[in-house]
Amino acid sequence: MATIGLIAGGGRFPILFAESARRAGHRVVAVAHRSETDPALEGAVDALTWVKLGQVGHILDALRAGGATQSVMLGAITKKRFFTDAMLDATGLRVLARVGIRSDDNLLRAMARFLEEEGVPITDPTPYLRDRLAPEGVLGRHQPTDEERADAAYGLELARGIGRLDLGQTVVVKERVALAVEALEGTDACIRRGGELARSGGFVVAKAVKPNQDRRFDLPAVGPDTVDTLREAGGRVLAVEAGATLVMDLERMVARADKARIVLMGIAG
């Protein structure tokens, strides 16, 4: 039995990971971010410490106090918060000073290098979440048209292109025209912006793993809320990279998509 440290952002994936790891016989000690992490995580772990964004020294202290010998990073952090209410401690400032270009991957890798040096290396969480990865094929009742399949394939190609630049993982496409690409604002805001430009609706949202993705962190993720955002914006198709995209609450997601007449697709990379 190992003690795994869980550095948790928002959403359900930290809770799902903790439940799976504990079922496998491991202890889970978590560090949760204020205003991001679901408080329900407390009931799914063996110990929980709350920190503010940027308090890297507090994170390390909590993992060590809990006896963690390895750690994982799961859950979203609202990117714009880095420019509004991050509270970097002295350790956080030292880690940040190592980063020249402050892209998502560079920041995460700097954090991973720091934790490895301190004896709590970041590991790949997907062995505990394999049943949460998107399967290949159409996932609900509704089938895409040939035009939508072509847009989905093109969208995934574009998503991988912006991934190479470490900008984001999501694009909005209609008739082979890119309407929106994800950057700092996140997936939902990207979808809404695409919907504003596609007044007649019927667009495709594609989400893919970045080329050379470090599987330890920042895997693409979707869930029922993604379908709700797509429906509100007037979208028609959500296409994700099969076997690599985390899917939260698949049954509920498919049920909502079926009700909204939205196509869900998993496409092999």
Side-chain angles (χ1 to χ4, degrees), residues 134 137 139 144 148-149 151-156 159 169-171 203-209 220 222 226 230 236-242 245 253 262-267:
L139 308 184
E148 288 164 347
R149 284 186 184 276
D151 272 356
Y154 179 60
L156 287 173
Q169 300 166 324
T170 307
V171 298
F203 56 85
V204 172
V205 173
K207 196 170 187 72
V209 172
V222 294
T226 314
L230 187 60
R236 161 70 180 164
V237 177
L238 175 60
V240 301
E241 186 168 338
T245 303
M253 184 177 171
I262 287 173
V263 177
L264 298 179
M265 301 172 62
I267 300 176

Side-chain angles (χ1 to χ4, degrees), residues 77-136:
I77 297 293
T78 306
K79 294 177 184 177
K80 66 181 181 181
R81 290 191 59 210
F82 285 102
F83 299 95
T84 56
D85 61 350
M87 300 280 290
L88 272 76
D89 57 17
T91 306
L93 288 169
R94 288 200 302 273
V95 173
L96 187 63
R98 300 179 176 190
V99 184
I101 299 174
R102 295 175 183 178
S103 64
D104 290 355
D105 280 2
N106 287 345
L107 289 166
L108 290 168
R109 287 192 178 109
M111 182 69 174
R113 283 194 300 273
F114 167 74
L115 290 174
E116 184 170 6
E117 291 165 2
E118 298 297 329
V120 196
I122 297 286
T123 59
D124 181 358
T126 55
Y128 300 95
L129 296 168
R130 293 199 186 281
D131 59 340
R132 308 285 179 178
L133 295 175
E136 186 176 355

